[in-house]
Amino acid sequence: MRSHLLNDATAESYRRSVTEGVERVADKLAATRGPFTGVTPAELAPVIDAVDLDKPLGDASAALDELESVYLRDAVYFHHPRYLGHLNCPVVIPAVLGEAVLSAVNSSLDTWDQSAGGTLIERKLVDWTNGRIGFGPDADGVFTSGGSQSNLQALLLAREEATAGRGGWEGPADLSRLRIFSSECSHFSVQKSAKLLGLGMDAVISIPVDRDKRMQSVVLAAELEACRAEGLVPMAIVATAGTTDFGSIDPLPEIAALAAEYGAWMHVDAAYGCGLLASPTRRHLLDGIERADSVTVDFHKSFFQPVSSSAILVRDGATLRHATYHADYLNPARTVAERIPNQVDKSLQTTRRFDALKLWMTLRVMGADGVGGLFDEVCDLAAEGFALLAADPRYEVVVEPRISTLVYRYVPAAAASPEDVDRANLHARKALFASGEAVVAGTKVDGRQYLKFTLLNPETTAADIAAVLDLIAGYAEQYLGETLVHA
Ligand SMILES: *Cc1c(COP(=O)(O)O)cnc(C)c1O
């Protein structure tokens, strides 16, 4: 069994084994004809159940053969131009290369003595991102597992800042008096974080959005005033820069001004919109982000990085101390005086992947303009898709895209009840998924069922969008036809 350990004696077997795996995936990518096979959980579960984990196959080739039927054959493929579903992206090769390197070396980014250069590379990428945001020299940050964790950490810092001198770590301040303001289109991790942070049930005040799905800053101002009048504490305002559903960007300068006026922490959730930081033509859409106290970026959404790669950035690095604990076995307090860079001092995680290496390889090979240019391409594509939808009488589209999502729905020519239209759209989404021809997402707008394209693949064309719209209309019409016959 020692022959399976990766070390000096097995370097040749490592080379063979990983190369074989890479070749299988490369063949798969070349041969894939659709984003999905349409397999159902009921069909796939027995295949996986049949595997006896206590009877190993012994060698990598056999395990790879088996992997074909348990995973690769029916996986969802994000590189396919007709995958238009969620915010998971196709990946760039330099990042995949970084992934292969980082898992073989297996650095852990909690302490310097488990990472060495890895820590400095991560710090340099944090500085690079802060430069793009426009933060000053005091800024800092750390990589995280994803946007949800970044948002949680940002709100932890906000909570500690709001309660500093009124308890902090030492004792409970009156957490039930803290309020977080975010738009009705903000990510659900804001709510979850509030719960995890021990805030009250009604801690998150949902601010309505305008027609373009941007937070209404006039309502925000009124809610902040009401909060103050009631003697409550405006702990944080979460502005979303790229809402998950619509890609809309809240009015950052107005929100920054209100945060300053009411002494609230300003967090910008740019999990989706962060790709604009590297965009050669659209960086201005994020103007005002430099006034935030903290920013969430998900490189695994709009920087074409494999899951996971995310970071939280803060304007004042000193605020990260709210996440600092010292343990004698890991990062004793003396290491601070000795200036040993231990990233765990800034992180909610302990053992932590060297995800930063993927972005490093991406920037070293492609450069920021290269990766930002890819994001620009999908934004351009979204504009084309909007024009198609707006001109198509079969469809109703909600808003002009700010970045790369389109929310729309099929509307029949003949009269149909709103419930039937909802059902027809849901049916079309499911039928499309089951066919494997394309994958689209869905959401609700004002209680009604809509469909969604999240465009993240520069290989997708307007012709792909047109073809998928024809498929959806076909399924929806078929459903309504059958419903009317049976009615
Ligand atoms: C995706 C998303 C998140 C959550 O990020 P994960 O990486 O999935 O945890 C948070 N906020 C917004 C706006 C998002 O789109």
Side-chain angles (χ1 to χ4, degrees), residues 1-14:
M1 284 302 132
R2 294 234 191 137
S3 66
H4 294 293
L5 283 172
L6 176 52
N7 56 37
D8 53 342
T10 59
E12 198 45 47
S13 143
Y14 156 70

Side-chain angles (χ1 to χ4, degrees), residues 406-409 425 429 440-442 449-453 472:
L406 293 165
V407 179
Y408 60 91
R409 67 184 198 149
N425 278 281
R429 179 187 176 194
V440 304
Q449 182 66 49
Y450 279 75
L451 302 174
K452 178 166 86 157
F453 293 151
I472 291 170

